[in-house]
Amino acid sequence: MTGGAGPLLAGRDAGGAAARWVGALLATGVTVAAACLAAGLLMAPSAAGPLLAPVGPTPEVLARAMRAEPTGLMNLGVLVLIATPVLGVAALGVGFAARGERRYVLSALAVLAMLIVGAWLGGVR
Amino acid sequence: MDPFRLWLLFAAGLGAGSAGALLGVGGGILLVPLLNLAFRVPLPAAVAASLVCVIATSSGAASVYVQDRLCDIKLGMVLELATVVGAVAGALAAPLFARDLVRLALAGLLLFTAWQLLRPRPSVPGEDPSSYAIRRWPLGLGVSLVAGGLSGLLGIGGGPLKVPTMHLGMGVPFRTAIATSNFMIGVTAAASALVYYSRGDLDLAVVAPTATGVVAGAVLGARLMPRAPVKLLKQAFAGLLLFGAAEVGMKAMHLGPFR
């Protein structure tokens, strides 16, 4: 499994390119998410009760965020945050595929498939 | 929303995010009781907020660790596969298990792991991230499966079990184990967080300030971790395991504030 005695630091044996890609994607995801959450929070009215998510299906969340509605922005922040690690796995799969590392492409695809199965079994539609 | 409460939630997130990034855990062990007991957030909403914060810790810290090449991505990907299989199986099997018994077993496992981490050993894996050989894959895959199962059963992340297993069992340097765990936990938490979000359990007034603090804390913690002495990281990790064992054990026995 290790492919010999050496470590499996993908960042090293990929010459750093794949690792930089994934690192940049994760950094962008959390930055956008935090910006949306903070912007929504600053613009939110001083309501006393909880602000329950979601405000509606994803297209409605996007429409509300585009109109700069505070709850729309905060919902968008949560969705971006949830999507970030999943996109990271997908990007890694692409990186492994580009290098012809089929074993790890299959691992990435299997992880993504299990996440979809888990979300589906959990009632996400 | 009370600005003072918002700042307190931000500060709580900052602390949990830093601790999570420094130790390779999501911070749920700290955040759930903190939100529930100190901020009076109902338990389902506290768990939901904590899951979103685990993703924030993971992605924030991993963005630094992956670029700094501290994270063993391939190891993480293989172990993550076992973890998500365990998590889905655990969630499906949850009605069949007596949760208090599982909690007691987990408390014992956390105590055992803390002892393993602290006890003197004739040889421990080195800390050079460029030269180590991974051994005992079946152990790593098995623990990841169990950690995923516990996550599905009890909503507890796998970091406290996976970091010591990667280090002591598989020969991975402690810092690399922390960084790799941070990369993995966000992926596991994403599926559960989506379920809580769809169910309407997320309170944005809690999640937004806490997760914003967590992102800042995670990046800060990830910058500090490579400079922190390994001995100190291990002691802090063992302390977290002891706290987790007490929390889970008291919950199992319906004692104290964690019932």
Side-chain angles (χ1 to χ4, degrees), chain A:
Chain A
M1 186 71 82
T2 60
L8 281 170
L9 285 159
R12 291 179 185 278
D13 63 8
R20 276 198 300 274
W21 257 67
V22 175
L25 190 142
L26 294 175
T28 305
V30 288
T31 306
V32 169
C36 288
L37 289 168
L41 202 56
L42 291 173
M43 294 161 63
S46 48
L51 293 170
L52 293 179
V55 289
T58 307
E60 191 182 332
V61 168
L62 288 175
R64 285 179 183 231
M66 293 301 283
R67 292 197 298 268
E69 286 182 23
T71 50
L73 283 169
M74 285 191 273
N75 271 274
L76 182 63
V78 170
L79 285 176
V80 170
L81 205 50
I82 293 173
T84 297
V86 182
L87 290 176
V89 174
L92 273 177
V94 173
F96 290 137
R99 301 183 60 212
E101 296 189 85
R102 280 191 295 178
R103 184 185 304 168
Y104 295 103
V105 176
L106 287 176
S107 290
L109 286 176
V111 168
L112 289 173
M114 287 306 296
L115 289 177
I116 291 167
V117 169
W120 181 74
L121 289 173
V124 177
R125 298 285 186 270

Side-chain angles (χ1 to χ4, degrees), chain B residues 98-113 146 150 154 161 245 248-249 252:
Chain B
R99 290 192 184 199
D100 286 343
L101 275 180
V102 179
R103 284 194 181 107
L104 270 183
L106 176 63
L109 199 57
L110 292 176
L111 283 176
F112 173 75
T113 310
V146 170
L150 289 170
L154 304 177
L161 294 179
V248 174

Side-chain angles (χ1 to χ4, degrees), chain B residues 181-234:
Chain B
S181 169
N182 257 312
F183 170 71
M184 292 160 68
I185 52 180
V187 181
T188 316
S192 311
L194 195 57
V195 173
Y196 277 90
Y197 175 81
S198 302
R199 247 193 244 157
D201 284 334
L202 277 187
D203 181 358
L204 294 170
V206 175
V207 172
T210 316
T212 311
V214 165
V215 170
V219 174
L220 181 72
R223 295 283 176 213
L224 290 175
M225 192 274 272
R227 299 186 188 97
V230 169
K231 191 177 173 190
L232 186 67
L233 288 173
K234 284 184 181 175

